[in-house]
Amino acid sequence: MLPARLRTDADLGALNSLALPARAALFACLDSIDDIAEVGAYARRTACRRFVLGGGSNVVLDDAFDGLVLHMALRGRALIGEDGEAVYVRASGGEPWPEFVEWTLAQGWGGLENLTAIPGSVGAAPIQNIGAYGREVGELIASVEYVDLAEGTSHVVSRDDCQFAYRDSVFKQRGWHRDGRVLVTAVVFRLPKRWQAQLGYAGIADTLAEHGVASLATADARQIAKAVAALRQRKLPDPARLPNAGSFFHNPIVEAGHAARLAAEFPAMPQHRQGDGRVKLAAGWLIEQTGWKGRTLGPVGMYAGQALVLVNHGGARSADVRALASAVAHDVRERFSVELHVEPITP
């Protein structure tokens, strides 16, 4: 017998920001711990395939998924403690990320302002270790709470045990984000009381000036959040108007020797040296140099305003997305000998 929360042959078209037509054989919207326990037990009994769907902003859904899609909708956020250096805030996995960031700023807690307006859910943030404008979320996470759906057990892992790296975490390293094993139920954030602005990213200072902030030294967290939101709005299309999944490729990281050879051949190529000596390249710049910015392939294309963003101009399916991603990656590989890796995940 199916748990009350389960639906069959569910339409997922409205649950992914690329607006791809997709259906799931089984679907459950989970908004309580009891729901998670009941549906998780059913999944273990039946050994069905699982996929965890958060805000749907970082996925490429196939036309049909023959297993169980779990939509995380657990809500709640609260201050749970503080010490001399920080406040500790706990947010449930189904909290929409932009709303959560805005709430922390409204309470006077800085730290997450550079990550404002990123689509998605709190539960997805540590898995991807989302980052933008000089900040990664892993820097501000104290712990992550999750359920192992394969074992039916609950766990709490510290920031160190999450093994955060560029767009990476232990959850991705072990493949748990792809096989639907882990459901992040809550994240605890450590937000510093001695707040310091992160203003190193190009464009933030100019945007602050446009918003009437004359001196960077006087900018507060909410002003920076408004500047970041304005920058995102200029660069990235609104998924409600032009469906997309945000940045579609990771910025590739290459060995120093390879980067030096590229710099000699392409002096204008942006390069950012990493702590381990390797060099991060700008995927958007690489894509633009191969002529894909603003170019289409069938119903999909790379956005004219930002070459890193793949957009659905209408009627696209997952096969169209894969074809374009493959073509772009091929051309970048041929010209620069650099591999591009897709950022959104697929069930």
Side-chain angles (χ1 to χ4, degrees):
M1 181 176 178
L2 291 177
R5 274 290 180 182
L6 282 185
R7 291 194 285 122
T8 59
D9 190 28
D11 184 358
L12 306 179
L15 295 177
N16 73 100
S17 63
L18 265 170
L20 300 177
R23 306 195 75 83
L26 294 168
F27 175 85
C29 182
L30 306 174
D31 57 13
S32 75
I33 295 297
D34 289 343
D35 289 341
I36 294 171
E38 182 182 15
V39 174
Y42 172 83
R44 289 190 295 279
R45 286 197 310 271
T46 59
C48 62
R49 292 177 64 204
R50 300 177 301 268
F51 181 72
V52 177
L53 183 63
S57 61
N58 195 47
V59 295
V60 177
L61 296 180
D62 285 327
D63 295 355
F65 182 69
D66 62 359
L68 168 61
V69 170
L70 302 163
H71 180 48
M72 185 54 168
L74 196 62
R75 301 290 290 267
R77 58 201 185 195
L79 173 68
I80 61 170
E82 64 180 294
D83 55 30
E85 297 183 347
V87 297
Y88 295 83
V89 181
R90 183 180 183 274
S92 295
E95 281 286 316
W97 179 258
E99 294 178 17
F100 170 66
V101 172
E102 179 58 32
W103 176 75
T104 64
L105 296 173
Q107 312 310 307
W109 305 324
L112 297 173
E113 58 279 350
N114 291 53
L115 302 175
T116 193
I118 297 177
S121 63
V122 166
I127 293 175
Q128 180 74 5
N129 189 19
I130 59 173
Y133 299 97
R135 173 72 83 184
E136 291 184 344
V137 73
E139 301 167 28
L140 296 161
I141 286 177
S143 61
V144 175
E145 303 169 24
Y146 72 89
V147 172
D148 184 328
L149 294 168
E151 301 292 338
T153 52
S154 298
H155 303 266
V156 179
V157 289
S158 69
R159 177 190 180 278
D160 288 345
D161 288 337
C162 286
Q163 299 177 30
F164 290 123
Y166 172 65
R167 299 297 185 272
D168 199 15
S169 68
V170 68
F171 306 105
K172 289 186 70 175
Q173 293 159 17
R174 297 183 181 180
W176 290 343
H177 67 306
R178 291 189 180 278
D179 63 14
R181 176 160 185 159
V182 163
L183 185 69
V184 173
T185 52
V187 181
V188 176
F189 297 86
R190 181 185 184 277
L191 304 179
K193 289 183 175 179
R194 295 180 183 87
W195 172 82
Q196 287 187 320
Q198 298 287 329
L199 300 173
Y201 192 92
I204 292 181
D206 290 341
T207 308
L208 282 169
E210 292 171 9
H211 285 72
V213 181
S215 170
L216 295 182
T218 64
D220 62 30
R222 299 203 75 175
Q223 290 170 327
I224 293 171
K226 289 180 180 178
V228 168
L231 279 171
R232 292 185 65 87
Q233 189 173 30
R234 289 176 193 167
K235 291 185 175 183
L236 304 174
D238 181 354
R241 297 183 178 182
L242 186 58
N244 70 89
S247 298
F248 199 80
F249 295 97
H250 293 290
N251 288 319
I253 298 177
V254 302
E255 298 299 326
H258 189 181
R261 291 189 293 274
L262 288 171
E265 186 174 358
F266 307 98
M269 176 184 289
Q271 297 195 3
H272 306 279
R273 186 167 295 277
Q274 305 299 288
D276 61 3
R278 296 185 299 164
V279 177
K280 184 191 294 184
L281 308 178
W285 188 90
L286 299 173
I287 294 167
E288 185 170 352
Q289 302 312 302
T290 60
W292 277 105
K293 184 177 181 180
R295 182 177 163 192
T296 61
L297 183 65
V300 293
M302 304 311 294
Y303 184 49
Q306 168 53 269
L308 189 55
V309 178
L310 187 151
V311 296
N312 175 5
H313 291 290
R317 308 185 83 89
S318 60
D320 299 309
V321 173
R322 288 194 177 87
L324 176 57
S326 178
V328 170
H330 171 272
D331 287 357
V332 168
R333 185 188 312 115
E334 288 294 302
R335 183 166 185 187
F336 300 106
S337 297
V338 171
E339 291 290 338
L340 289 184
H341 296 284
V342 170
E343 188 165 321
I345 62 174
T346 301

